[in-house]
Amino acid sequence: MPRKTRWESVRRTAAELFAASGYAASSLSQLARLARLSKPGIYYHVRDKEELLFRICESTMAVLLQSAQLAAGSGRDPVAKLRQIIRAHANHYWDHSWDLVILFGQRRYLSPVRQRRIIALERVYLDLVRAIIRDGVRRRVFHRVDPSVATFSLFAILNTLDSWYDRKGAMRPEALVRQIERLFFGGLVVRTRRRAHG
Amino acid sequence: MPRKTRWESVRRTAAELFAASGYAASSLSQLARLARLSKPGIYYHVRDKEELLFRICESTMAVLLQSAQLAAGSGRDPVAKLRQIIRAHANHYWDHSWDLVILFGQRRYLSPVRQRRIIALERVYLDLVRAIIRDGVRRRVFHRVDPSVATFSLFAILNTLDSWYDRKGAMRPEALVRQIERLFFGGLVVRTRRRAHG
């Protein structure tokens, strides 16, 4: 197996293991067994278990960040930009939900320096989204909401999917994303003209 | 100290301890020390650490459920009912954020039977909110959103406050709740009449 592919297999197997058993309860011996490698085969890629956790978190953020940067730089209107980010984030969740479970549930096991690195990447991501929302508010395309509250509310919904969305249920992923967009963009309450600005 | 007050003090101290150090890393000896009781003084109230965790989760759900039942039975319109539930939930968070941290972060340490009991209470709570939303959709007070997606999205926002809202920041709790209501009820995007039903 080419080196890059082998690393990707180690990374994916580690993410599955950490997400299923928890970082603290997982060992590199288990990982080696699941990835069908020797322990030296694991150490070829990472110095220790924590580096593995770090690289899972870092690469997850890198992918999310790249899509957000593409959307932010697209020159489209704020609604279209946000829609693009929501879909990319949701798609990452469908395809790599383990990564997000680990990013949000297990990064506390990282060393302080590495936690700060992940938090810094997250801040860049959040700032991109917040800037799009702020721009939309300024241009009166969006209601006068607090851009931070709107940003965090959006990711609260997207990042908790794992705990409430049943992939085997009747609602398809695409339909779920449309529902979330409809709710986040349009709100719950039908405004009659009389109370439209109430 | 009267027995009930003493139990409340044990419960509050335990909630603080579990939320700060994690359930797994906390011991009844630590708790006894923090609560200024002997270990038999703790065992007077609970059989073991897991019972303590269970009673924290159960009583938290009982309080939330009671406010939701009051709101659901109030005979008011769906918007007012939801607003009442959002405020009660947020208030519980302001006053007892430890309880919610434990309820969502640590109930996995409960025995399967007790986990099922907590999940059953949660389901009653969610069902109450979902029924209010379904009723609002039926009466065309609410947009045609999926009531489950709307319910889970709302609680995703309210139950993650701990990870994104800075209590020491510039935004007061009441202002934050108004922002969340405005966003959840009114949505982000200003609808021009042309695309109002688009």
Side-chain angles (χ1 to χ4, degrees), chain A residues 160, chain B residues 85 89 125-126 129 150-160:
Chain A
T160 56
Chain B
I85 290 173
H89 197 100
Y125 186 55
L126 289 170
V129 175
T151 302
F152 284 117
S153 296
L154 175 61
F155 287 114
I157 299 171
L158 294 175
N159 292 335
T160 56

Side-chain angles (χ1 to χ4, degrees), chain A residues 143-144 146 179 182 188, chain B residues 143-144 146 179 182 188:
Chain A
H143 290 296
R144 285 197 304 137
D146 181 89
Q179 284 285 337
R182 190 186 292 184
L188 185 66
Chain B
H143 290 296
R144 285 197 305 138
D146 180 89
Q179 284 284 339
R182 190 186 292 183
L188 185 65

Side-chain angles (χ1 to χ4, degrees), chain B:
Chain B
M1 220 189 312
R3 210 178 295 170
K4 181 159 182 271
T5 316
R6 203 159 51 204
W7 159 243
E8 276 159 10
S9 152
V10 169
R11 186 204 177 286
R12 197 184 52 245
T13 310
E16 288 182 32
L17 176 64
F18 292 171
S21 311
Y23 174 79
S26 307
S27 73
L28 290 188
S29 311
Q30 276 175 296
L31 173 61
R33 215 162 40 242
L34 291 167
R36 296 168 191 224
L37 285 172
S38 62
K39 269 187 82 171
I42 301 286
Y43 287 122
Y44 174 83
H45 297 286
V46 289
R47 181 190 297 262
D48 54 23
K49 195 171 74 155
E50 192 230 341
E51 185 181 334
L52 202 47
L53 179 63
F54 175 67
R55 287 179 63 184
I56 292 170
C57 292
E58 190 188 37
S59 53
T60 302
M61 277 316 305
V63 171
L64 293 175
L65 205 44
Q66 197 179 23
S67 350
Q69 278 161 338
L70 269 176
S74 68
R76 303 168 77 196
D77 68 275
V79 177
K81 284 179 184 174
L82 270 192
R83 208 182 282 278
Q84 194 175 332
I85 290 173
I86 290 171
R87 292 186 176 183
H89 197 100
N91 282 338
H92 194 82
Y93 167 74
W94 310 129
D95 299 339
H96 310 272
S97 67
W98 288 307
D99 284 0
L100 292 176
V101 168
I102 292 166
L103 182 62
F104 298 112
Q106 306 187 0
R107 66 152 178 250
R108 66 180 182 279
Y109 295 111
L110 291 173
S111 68
V113 172
R114 284 177 159 167
Q115 276 192 44
R116 278 198 293 276
R117 168 85 184 131
I118 300 301
I119 289 168
L121 289 173
E122 254 183 40
R123 193 157 304 157
V124 177
Y125 186 55
L126 289 170
D127 282 348
L128 275 171
V129 175
R130 190 166 15 210
I132 294 171
I133 293 180
R134 187 174 293 120
D135 178 51
V137 172
R138 198 183 48 75
R139 290 158 63 173
R140 304 194 181 184
V141 179
F142 294 163
H143 290 296
R144 285 197 305 138
V145 294
D146 180 89
S148 295
V149 173
T151 302
F152 284 117
S153 296
L154 175 61
F155 287 114
I157 299 171
L158 294 175
N159 292 335
T160 56
L161 287 182
D162 206 61
S163 67
W164 58 268
Y165 172 65
D166 177 10
R167 287 181 184 231
K168 292 173 190 141
M171 188 179 287
R172 308 283 313 137
E174 309 77 47
L176 172 68
V177 171
R178 274 199 305 277
Q179 284 284 339
I180 291 173
E181 286 177 348
R182 190 186 292 183
L183 191 65
F184 187 70
F185 290 151
L188 185 65
V189 178
V190 175
R191 298 280 162 175
T192 61
R193 213 173 312 162
R194 193 171 57 78
R195 38 174 198 172
H197 301 283

Side-chain angles (χ1 to χ4, degrees), chain A residues 32-51:
Chain A
R33 215 164 35 246
L34 290 168
R36 296 168 191 223
L37 285 172
S38 62
K39 268 186 86 173
I42 301 287
Y43 286 121
Y44 175 82
H45 296 286
V46 288
R47 183 190 295 264
D48 53 23
K49 194 171 75 158
E50 193 230 343
E51 186 181 333

Side-chain angles (χ1 to χ4, degrees), chain A residues 23-86:
Chain A
Y23 174 78
S26 306
S27 72
L28 289 189
S29 311
Q30 276 176 294
L31 173 61
R33 215 164 35 246
L34 290 168
R36 296 168 191 223
L37 285 172
S38 62
K39 268 186 86 173
I42 301 287
Y43 286 121
Y44 175 82
H45 296 286
V46 288
R47 183 190 295 264
D48 53 23
K49 194 171 75 158
E50 193 230 343
E51 186 181 333
L52 201 47
L53 179 62
F54 175 67
R55 287 179 65 182
I56 291 170
C57 292
E58 192 189 36
S59 53
T60 302
M61 277 315 306
V63 171
L64 294 176
L65 205 44
Q66 196 179 24
S67 351
Q69 279 160 339
L70 269 177
S74 69
R76 303 168 75 194
D77 68 275
V79 177
K81 285 180 183 172
L82 271 192
R83 209 181 282 277
Q84 195 175 331
I85 291 173
I86 291 171

